[in-house]
Amino acid sequence: MKRVLLGIFLLGIFVAASYTYPRVQVLHEPTLRLNRLPPSWILEIMSMGNRELLSTIIFYHTSFYYGEKTAWRKEEAELRRVYDTLEKATDLDPYNMDCYYLAQGTLSWIKPAIPKLNELLERGYTYRTWDWYLPFFLAANYYFQLDDPVRAAYYLQDASRLRPESSVFSSLTARMFYEGDQTETAIAFLKSMVLDTKSPLLRKKLLKRLRALETIRFLEKALQDYHDKTGHDPDSLDDLVRAGIIRSVPPDPYGGTFYLAEKDRICTTSKLAEGWRKDQP
Amino acid sequence: MLSTAVFSSFSMRQPMEVAINYGLSVVQILATILTLFLGLNLISRELESKAGHPVLAQPISRGSYIIGKFMGLLMIVLVILIISGACAALGIWLTTLTLDTPGHVSWAGFIIALYGTFISCTVLGGLTVLFTSLSTSAILPFLLTCGVYAIGQSTQAAKRFIEAELAGVELTPLVKMIAKGAYYIFPNFALFDFKVQAIYDLPESATLLGIATVYGLTYLALTLFGAVILFEKRDLS
């Protein structure tokens, strides 16, 4: 009987302690720290043949740390450390997509960090040659943060080749080439995509964009002819008609109207966007 | 098995890859530890308790005794690998059930990675037999095997580090020579690691697999050869 009572007594204390300690622990729990890691080659030796597992563990630690810190003010030193740990994790396992994903998610909004981030992503892309995410991330970084539409277009071109079922990628690639004054490249790219595409719906979309870009190219050449003929630039596209270089300003397949923007650039009110309506502001 | 699904659930973009990585790594760690301890106890404990003496009194050579003991160890390691490999495969399969789009699992790559672990454990087992043949104490073979295993796991990384000639890192010619010497003398355990191909479904190189097998078996034959010679010369009285 005494043993039973002693057992119940010990069990009671254990249950009480198990119920109480998590509440007390929260008050004294140290904040998660992201320690500086040793060089990658030392980490590789420390992994004892389990580089990929160590890479995943480092990634988990970094993502938990970042997750806890989301409510905080992110300081540059901290973000630098996040980058360093992710770089080391990818040194151990250059195929680890989680690391590239987290790096893009945490650092792509900080302009000074973009060159280093792109370096990491470009290295990852040399390994993950089948993955459209990495060229897509690179294209986004070059386009939105570094104002380099041509470089962005080349990466997006890769992404659209890796994911041919997506009409958005091929369409955006052509648009970026056009924005980077690479209309010829955009046309060549679209022509190759039209040939490779099996989906009738996608082909229809690509042909529409191709028609629009060929019209732009036609107007660009007419501008050049006008300049050669008169020695100065036209004020509007109607000047090309008045000079007899073109019969009329061709229509935009997207429903907009072509016009001459600054720096002799051919633009359209539709912005080559699908679903644009004339009554839109 | 269940921990595979839990561990991989923290992944953002590649839970399947993490599940395969986790499964194969756990199998490797488990098989390595068991090979190490079973191999070390195999001969030393039997000779210490004199339980092996009646066997040695039989008309069999000491070499046959060592080889027989090693073959027994190999069988145990193989059974452990099959069981733990099956558990890991089950864990991976359970993970596929928890995901909406689980993605492709390269089972051929998984089996090749397990084969690589087996070759690695075979070489490690050979080393434990060699060092237990060398010494009468229990601690020295343990330390020697652990040391050689640690060096064998790092020689490839060290060689790459030296060849990369990183800026700001000056290495003396003696250090370079020692590292290169270690690369060729100690077993290169990184050669038997086929996990990355299995995890990311990368193409396997039949040549590399063949070379790894030949290298592992040759190294094993040399260690067993050394173990037999040392054991034959050992005073058991």
Side-chain angles (χ1 to χ4, degrees):
Chain A
M1 188 61 191
K2 275 181 183 175
R3 284 183 183 179
V4 174
L5 283 174
L6 184 66
I8 293 168
F9 177 69
L10 288 173
L11 199 67
I13 291 177
F14 176 72
V15 169
S18 302
Y19 180 75
T20 318
Y21 86 82
R23 284 155 186 78
V24 180
Q25 198 182 26
V26 168
L27 299 173
H28 299 281
E29 202 168 25
T31 51
L32 211 57
R33 288 179 64 188
L34 197 62
N35 295 319
R36 196 173 289 277
L37 292 171
S40 302
W41 68 279
I42 292 179
L43 286 173
E44 190 177 337
I45 291 169
M46 281 164 64
S47 75
M48 284 286 119
N50 291 291
R51 287 181 299 144
E52 297 82 12
L53 186 67
L54 185 59
S55 171
T56 304
I57 291 167
I58 292 172
F59 161 75
Y60 279 0
H61 185 61
T62 315
S63 72
F64 294 157
Y65 169 82
Y66 190 79
E68 198 191 71
K69 290 264 175 180
T70 45
W72 297 23
R73 188 167 66 87
K74 291 174 193 71
E75 288 162 14
E76 199 188 321
E78 281 180 333
L79 289 165
R80 175 84 209 174
R81 203 164 284 183
V82 167
Y83 174 83
D84 283 344
T85 52
L86 292 176
E87 191 187 32
K88 280 171 183 164
T90 52
D91 279 343
L92 289 170
D93 179 7
Y95 294 96
N96 193 339
M97 185 57 201
D98 280 336
C99 295
Y100 301 118
Y101 196 75
L102 184 64
Q104 176 72 10
T106 52
L107 303 168
S108 61
W109 53 276
I110 309 159
K111 202 165 182 174
I114 298 297
K116 289 296 279 178
L117 172 63
N118 282 0
E119 215 174 275
L120 186 79
L121 297 174
E122 274 160 0
R123 196 185 55 157
Y125 186 37
T126 60
Y127 287 91
R128 295 183 66 91
T129 48
W130 65 90
D131 195 340
W132 59 268
Y133 270 101
L134 292 171
F136 176 65
F137 289 162
L138 283 161
N141 294 343
Y142 276 112
Y143 186 78
F144 293 111
Q145 294 282 26
L146 300 179
D147 297 323
D148 188 347
V150 178
R151 197 85 188 262
Y154 279 113
Y155 277 116
L156 209 54
Q157 187 177 11
D158 285 0
S160 66
R161 285 212 176 109
L162 293 167
R163 202 175 182 228
E165 68 275 15
S166 167
S167 63
V168 179
F169 282 175
S170 41
S171 196
L172 272 176
T173 306
R175 187 170 167 168
M176 283 180 186
F177 273 130
Y178 158 66
E179 283 185 26
D181 290 329
Q182 303 266 326
T183 318
E184 290 278 14
T185 319
I187 291 169
F189 167 72
L190 281 175
K191 279 182 177 169
S192 70
M193 286 302 290
V194 168
L195 284 173
D196 292 341
T197 302
K198 289 188 178 96
S199 156
L201 184 71
L202 180 56
R203 183 177 287 123
K204 199 176 157 189
K205 284 185 176 179
L206 292 173
L207 282 170
K208 190 175 181 181
R209 180 136 295 199
L210 182 61
R211 269 203 317 280
L213 286 171
E214 280 176 338
T215 312
I216 289 169
R217 187 71 198 123
F218 165 76
L219 289 170
E220 282 172 355
K221 279 182 181 162
L223 273 181
Q224 188 60 47
D225 290 348
Y226 183 91
H227 189 86
D228 293 346
K229 193 175 173 182
T230 63
H232 61 88
D233 295 327
D235 295 326
S236 71
L237 291 180
D238 291 332
D239 287 352
L240 302 175
V241 181
R242 279 192 282 275
I245 292 168
I246 57 172
R247 245 181 266 166
S248 63
V249 177
D252 172 8
Y254 289 91
T257 309
F258 287 112
Y259 65 93
L260 194 59
E262 281 175 27
K263 296 178 186 170
D264 286 344
R265 192 171 159 75
I266 307 288
C267 292
T268 167
T269 51
S270 73
K271 294 178 180 171
L272 301 179
E274 202 76 57
W276 181 85
R277 297 191 320 273
K278 274 188 180 174
D279 54 342
Q280 272 184 328
Chain B
M1 281 182 281
L2 285 174
S3 66
T4 309
V6 175
F7 188 77
S8 62
S9 67
F10 296 111
S11 172
M12 287 177 173
R13 296 291 328 160
Q14 48 173 25
M16 247 3 275
E17 284 88 341
V18 170
I20 302 167
N21 178 359
Y22 179 78
L24 285 172
S25 298
V26 168
V27 170
Q28 197 213 326
I29 293 166
L30 190 76
T32 305
I33 291 172
L34 286 174
T35 308
L36 187 67
F37 285 102
L38 288 174
L40 288 169
N41 282 329
L42 199 69
I43 299 167
S44 57
R45 184 175 283 183
E46 207 169 89
L47 292 181
E48 230 173 61
S49 63
K50 296 191 173 17
H53 285 205
V55 182
L56 286 166
Q58 299 293 318
I60 56 159
S61 67
R62 286 189 180 187
S64 305
Y65 174 78
I66 286 279
I67 301 292
K69 278 281 174 190
F70 176 75
M71 292 310 281
L73 171 70
L74 216 59
M75 286 299 125
I76 297 170
V77 170
L78 189 63
V79 170
I80 289 166
L81 264 177
I82 290 170
I83 295 170
S84 56
C87 289
L90 211 60
I92 293 164
W93 178 72
L94 279 176
T95 310
T96 60
L97 299 180
T98 62
L99 302 169
D100 295 331
T101 46
H104 178 250
V105 179
S106 166
W107 291 112
F110 181 80
I111 291 165
I112 290 171
L114 286 181
Y115 170 75
T117 305
F118 178 65
I119 297 283
S120 170
C121 288
T122 306
V123 175
L124 183 68
L127 286 171
T128 58
V129 172
L130 174 71
F131 293 132
T132 44
S133 306
L134 181 77
S135 167
T136 47
S137 80
I139 193 78
L140 190 66
F142 174 76
L143 292 176
L144 282 172
T145 316
C146 287
V148 171
Y149 183 72
I151 294 167
Q153 279 287 5
S154 50
T155 48
Q156 192 152 307
K159 187 172 174 268
R160 206 170 47 243
F161 174 71
I162 289 165
E163 284 173 353
E165 288 180 350
L166 297 174
V169 182
E170 282 288 320
L171 292 171
T172 60
L174 182 70
V175 172
K176 283 184 183 178
M177 207 174 73
I178 290 170
K180 278 195 176 173
Y183 178 75
Y184 290 108
I185 293 167
F186 291 95
N188 182 1
F189 283 101
L191 192 63
F192 312 125
D193 187 2
F194 295 98
K195 286 198 293 293
V196 74
Q197 287 90 336
I199 296 165
Y200 296 104
D201 196 11
L202 302 175
E204 300 277 357
S205 162
T207 319
L208 186 65
L209 196 64
I211 287 173
T213 307
V214 172
Y215 174 82
L217 294 180
T218 318
Y219 206 96
L220 172 69
L222 284 171
T223 48
L224 287 182
F225 183 69
V228 168
I229 289 172
L230 286 170
F231 196 65
E232 276 174 351
K233 289 188 176 171
R234 190 163 153 182
D235 183 12
L236 294 172
S237 56

